[in-house]
Structure formats: C-alpha cells, structure tokens
Amino acid sequence: MESLAAKALAELTSAEIERAVAGKTLIWPIGGIEQHGPHLPLNVDSLIPKALSHRLAAIIDGFYLPVQPLSVRSLPQSGGGLIFPGTIYIDGGTFTRYLQRTLASLCRLPFKQLVIINGHYENEAFIFEAIDELSGNGAFGERAVTAFSWWSLVPDAWIAANLPDFPGWHAEHAGITETSLMLHLHPDLVRSERPDHPSPPMAGIYRLPLDGDSASTRGVLSRTSGSSATLGKQLFDLVTEQMIALVERRQNDK
Ligand SMILES: [Zn+2]
C-alpha cells in the first residue's frame, strides 16, 4: 500500500517549502530519551513514532518532521522513573511551552493537516494541553489537527487475542509490545535478555517512598518474554492501518 518514498520536511529548501506543503499533511513524531530496561536502547520512545511517521508520510504523500527527541519525566509506575540512569527529561511546563512555540511557528506554513504521533507515555497530557491552548488562540484556523499516542490505536480485540495477560499500557513500558516493535524495526539495537516483572504496577497510583523493586524488574514494568519480530510487525501494520483511517479522510476533504 506504500507507493511513495517518505518525504522529510527539513530537506526542502526555503524557496520550495510553501508550495510543497500547501494542502498537505505534516507529521511530527514526539519521543523521549528514557531507560527501557537492560535490553532496549534509551531512544525506543523516539524510534517507534519516527518509524510510524515515515510510514504514514509515504502512504498519504505527506511530510514528516524531525523527531522531537526529549520528553517529560519518566514516572515509576509508567516508565520506571528517574532512579535508572540515562533518562534525560524536561519539566512539563517547559515541554508544553516548547511545543506551543514550535507549533505556532509551524502554523505559518500553508499545510492542511497536522498529525502528532507520541511515543512516550507521560508526554500525552502535555501535548494535548499545548494543542488545546493554541487552538483556543486560533493558531490552527480551519486546519485539522490529530494527535495520539501510538498505543491508543491498538484495538482491544487485538490485545485480547495476542496479549492475554496484558497489564495496561502504563505498564507496557519496555514490555512485550515495545520489545516486539523494536525487534521488527531495529533488531540490531535489542539485547538478548528478556526480563519479566511478575506484578505490573496499577495505573493511576503514585506512592512515596518509592520502592523501585516492587514497581519494576530493572526498569521493565511487565513481561518481555514472548516478544518477537513477528508480533512487532503485526502491531506496526495494525497501528499503520488505524492511523490511515484516522487521518486519510481529513487529508482528502476538499
Ligand atoms: Zn517506551
């Protein structure tokens, strides 16, 4: 179904860009640098939305933006937290303001639709807030904006059929879905260990003092055994289908 090569917005020239993006969809992947257990690299949350943005750009003839590499903080019940080295983050207020300023300048271009694909769990509310506030100021005009975290597009039926002991997306951090997607997209970056955490944390609870061992196994919040490139490809293709359903109609609206 992919008919065109994905196009990078940043590789256009200033003289070309307005004509090139007029009436088109721009796609911005937003990730993070966060610990992902002993088996995955720090940039998982950037690599997955980046790959999805390239795929979507190719299919709908849109343009992808460079991945936004930094995120808001990792929390113990959804990302393992800051006790693990390697997580580089900014605070939510700075992140929201950064997104708003970037989007405001992007809005000077005559694109038709903006799609934001998030890959880091804790980013979501801040991305939505940035968009909502800008929208209230009229920055987007009549243009369509669609923002989502990639996991929100995975149907419950697929989860029930493929992940019988699914712990909830907050606890899928460095777990079977991210490990499988990475085995599909970047097998060279996945180490051989497959740690499991026997009791994934419950969503929506924060407790002090922190007890890292009860929340995770070396930064992994659920299980990784059973991960495979096959499962990763299935998931990637499924999310791609769902993305297209979400944005194509708006792209084609005249
Ligand atoms: Zn992640």
Side-chain angles (χ1 to χ4, degrees), residues 34-36 44-45 48 78 119-121 150-151 172-174 178:
E34 180 190 31
Q35 75 82 21
H36 274 76
V44 167
D45 292 354
I48 294 171
S78 52
H120 174 75
Y121 189 84
W150 65 258
W151 51 89
E172 258 298 302
H173 173 78
E178 284 187 322

Side-chain angles (χ1 to χ4, degrees), residues 134-157:
L134 268 180
S135 156
N137 296 337
F140 298 110
E142 296 299 306
R143 293 178 282 198
V145 180
T146 302
F148 55 87
S149 300
W150 65 258
W151 51 89
S152 300
L153 304 194
V154 181
D156 290 344

Side-chain angles (χ1 to χ4, degrees), residues 12-34:
L12 294 165
T13 66
S14 175
E16 292 166 345
I17 193 165
E18 291 190 324
R19 179 175 295 199
V21 305
K24 300 281 189 184
T25 295
L26 307 187
I27 306 151
W28 193 18
I30 297 186
I33 296 181
E34 180 190 31

Side-chain angles (χ1 to χ4, degrees), residues 123-184:
N123 284 347
E124 187 179 279
F126 298 98
I127 294 172
F128 292 175
E129 180 178 330
I131 293 169
D132 198 53
E133 208 170 303
L134 268 180
S135 156
N137 296 337
F140 298 110
E142 296 299 306
R143 293 178 282 198
V145 180
T146 302
F148 55 87
S149 300
W150 65 258
W151 51 89
S152 300
L153 304 194
V154 181
D156 290 344
W158 186 88
I159 294 170
N162 292 279
L163 306 173
D165 53 355
F166 185 69
W169 286 109
H170 69 288
E172 258 298 302
H173 173 78
I176 193 167
T177 59
E178 284 187 322
T179 305
S180 295
L181 282 166
M182 286 297 290
L183 284 168
H184 167 54

Side-chain angles (χ1 to χ4, degrees), residues 11-215:
E11 291 176 5
L12 294 165
T13 66
S14 175
E16 292 166 345
I17 193 165
E18 291 190 324
R19 179 175 295 199
V21 305
K24 300 281 189 184
T25 295
L26 307 187
I27 306 151
W28 193 18
I30 297 186
I33 296 181
E34 180 190 31
Q35 75 82 21
H36 274 76
H39 63 308
L40 295 175
L42 299 169
N43 62 348
V44 167
D45 292 354
S46 295
L47 291 175
I48 294 171
K50 181 181 173 186
L52 289 167
S53 73
H54 288 209
R55 172 66 78 89
L56 183 62
I59 293 170
I60 66 169
D61 192 25
F63 288 87
Y64 64 84
L65 274 74
V67 67
Q68 150 57 35
L70 295 179
S71 68
V72 297
R73 73 172 58 214
S74 171
L75 296 172
Q77 306 282 304
S78 52
L82 302 179
I83 58 170
F84 299 96
T87 299
I88 301 170
Y89 70 99
I90 52 178
D91 65 274
T94 304
F95 184 71
T96 307
R97 193 172 160 80
Y98 170 90
L99 294 179
Q100 284 172 340
R101 292 296 170 94
T102 308
L103 291 171
S105 64
L106 194 64
C107 281
R108 293 168 61 192
L109 293 171
F111 62 88
K112 179 170 188 177
Q113 174 176 211
L114 175 67
V115 177
I116 294 180
I117 307 176
N118 175 43
H120 174 75
Y121 189 84
E122 293 88 345
N123 284 347
E124 187 179 279
F126 298 98
I127 294 172
F128 292 175
E129 180 178 330
I131 293 169
D132 198 53
E133 208 170 303
L134 268 180
S135 156
N137 296 337
F140 298 110
E142 296 299 306
R143 293 178 282 198
V145 180
T146 302
F148 55 87
S149 300
W150 65 258
W151 51 89
S152 300
L153 304 194
V154 181
D156 290 344
W158 186 88
I159 294 170
N162 292 279
L163 306 173
D165 53 355
F166 185 69
W169 286 109
H170 69 288
E172 258 298 302
H173 173 78
I176 193 167
T177 59
E178 284 187 322
T179 305
S180 295
L181 282 166
M182 286 297 290
L183 284 168
H184 167 54
L185 297 170
H186 298 281
D188 51 317
L189 296 179
V190 184
R191 281 64 163 179
S192 58
E193 286 187 72
R194 292 292 174 268
D196 290 330
H197 183 60
S199 50
M202 292 167 69
I205 297 172
Y206 189 92
R207 304 180 81 187
L208 287 173
L210 297 175
D211 180 355
D213 287 347
S214 76

